[in-house]
């Protein structure tokens, strides 16, 4: 029994020493660390618009009623054009008193009315319909906001392609550097990634002059770029003469 325990302990100690030796050898192996960059371009397939209604009236009630009607007309029109309820979201609402500060000689400001702002965020999944959506919205009473951005429903897949390109770039760089040094790259020891970045195009919206009015706002969607950066560490294989 004592012999068996001693033999087992010896094997365990030998395995531990062997693991330590391998680990030490790996630590002493040459390494090379490079940064890879990858990018993919794609046309956006949806637009996100943020606009709303701004109404002023002598009373808060009247301002609210005016804003409600204009926004309700806009929403009804959007739904009639195929915009789904899931793509419509109220993004801001406020009621503000309006004052006249033109008084002189310390005269306190005079309350002149109330202003109601009601903002709406819309996701337009058909880019070709965007110009018409904008034009109809203004026709139905939209008179505030107007921020516009583009997105792509396949962003995850596009970022994944950018990551693959970044890793391939890192491998190419490492191979070129080690070849120049008379060695070669070994196994990948570690990979880390900076946060991927989506760089949407600056939206181009050309407003037609009154005398050249059309039934839609001209919009150019352009292309979005998706970037990925990775840092990869490789082992270096010492080439034998």
């Amino acid at each position: 029994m004592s012999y068996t325990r001693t033999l087992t302990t010896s094997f365990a100690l030998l395995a531990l020493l062997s693991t330590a030796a391998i680990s030490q050898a790996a630590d002493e192996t040459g390494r090379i660390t490079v940064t890879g960059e990858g990018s993919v371009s794609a046309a956006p397939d949806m637009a996100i618009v943020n606009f709303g209604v701004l109404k002023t009236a002598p009373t808060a009630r009247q301002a609210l009623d005016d804003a409600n009607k204009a926004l309700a007309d806009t929403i009804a029109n959007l739904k009639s054009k195929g915009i789904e309820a899931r793509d419509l979201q109220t993004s801001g609402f406020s009621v503000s008193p309006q004052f006249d500060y033109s008084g002189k000689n310390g005269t306190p400001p005079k309350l002149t009315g109330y202003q109601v702002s009601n903002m709406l965020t819309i996701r337009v999944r058909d880019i070709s319909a965007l110009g018409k959506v904008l034009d109809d919205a203004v026709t139905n009473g939209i008179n505030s906001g107007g921020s516009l951005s583009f997105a792509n429903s396949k962003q995850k897949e596009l970022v994944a392609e950018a990551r693959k390109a970044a890793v391939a770039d890192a491998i190419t760089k490492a191979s070129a550097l080690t070849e120049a040094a008379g060695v070669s790259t070994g196994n990948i020891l570690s990979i880390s990634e900076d946060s991927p970045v989506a760089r949407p195009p600056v939206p181009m919206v050309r407003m037609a002059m009154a005398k050249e009015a059309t039934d839609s706002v001209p919009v150019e969607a352009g292309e979005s770029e998706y970037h990925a950066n990775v840092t990869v560490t490789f082992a270096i294989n010492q080439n034998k003469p």
Side-chain angles (χ1 to χ4, degrees):
M1 181 65 69
S2 176
Y3 173 76
T4 302
R5 289 180 179 176
T6 301
L7 183 60
T8 301
T9 302
S10 297
F11 278 128
L13 180 60
L14 179 60
L16 180 62
L17 291 174
S18 298
T19 301
I22 293 172
S23 177
Q24 182 178 4
D27 290 339
E28 294 175 353
T29 300
R31 301 182 179 194
I32 180 173
T33 300
V34 297
T35 299
E37 301 178 354
S39 64
V40 174
S41 297
D45 60 7
M46 69 173 69
I48 300 172
V49 184
N50 185 55
F51 51 34
V53 173
L54 190 66
K55 294 293 183 180
T56 302
T59 66
R61 179 72 263 171
Q62 184 61 51
L64 180 61
D65 288 344
D66 292 345
N68 287 347
K69 182 181 185 307
L71 197 59
D73 289 344
T74 297
I75 291 174
N77 180 266
L78 290 169
K79 289 183 176 179
S80 72
K81 297 296 174 57
I83 303 295
E84 300 180 29
R86 62 172 178 154
D87 293 326
L88 298 170
Q89 184 178 52
T90 297
S91 54
F93 177 83
S94 67
V95 180
S96 306
Q98 302 297 296
F99 294 94
D100 179 2
Y101 294 92
S102 63
K104 299 180 180 180
N105 301 323
T107 302
K110 179 181 178 181
L111 178 66
T112 60
Y114 293 84
Q115 187 176 80
V116 170
S117 174
N118 199 340
M119 304 301 294
L120 184 68
T121 297
I122 306 166
R123 183 177 287 106
V124 182
R125 298 181 185 273
D126 180 5
I127 294 291
S128 65
L130 178 58
K132 184 62 174 174
V133 167
L134 295 175
D135 191 88
D136 287 351
V138 174
T139 299
N140 286 296
I142 292 296
N143 63 354
S144 179
S147 66
L148 170 64
S149 62
F150 293 102
N152 197 298
S153 60
K154 297 181 179 180
Q155 179 171 333
K156 289 185 178 180
E157 291 86 343
L158 293 168
V159 170
E161 289 300 318
R163 288 184 177 124
K164 291 179 182 179
V167 172
D169 182 50
I171 292 173
T172 299
K173 288 179 179 178
S175 297
L177 291 170
T178 53
E179 181 180 352
V183 292
S184 61
T185 53
N187 294 330
I188 293 176
L189 302 178
S190 67
I191 300 178
S192 62
E193 179 193 22
D194 294 334
S195 298
V197 178
R199 298 177 183 172
V202 177
M204 299 294 294
V205 181
R206 301 193 307 274
M207 303 300 293
M209 298 297 290
K211 64 180 181 180
E212 299 174 352
T214 63
D215 61 353
S216 65
V217 177
V219 177
E220 297 178 2
E223 285 191 340
S224 298
E225 290 187 355
Y226 299 85
H227 295 260
N229 295 296
V230 297
T231 300
V232 185
T233 298
F234 300 83
I236 293 179
N237 292 332
Q238 301 294 333
N239 294 337
K240 296 182 181 180

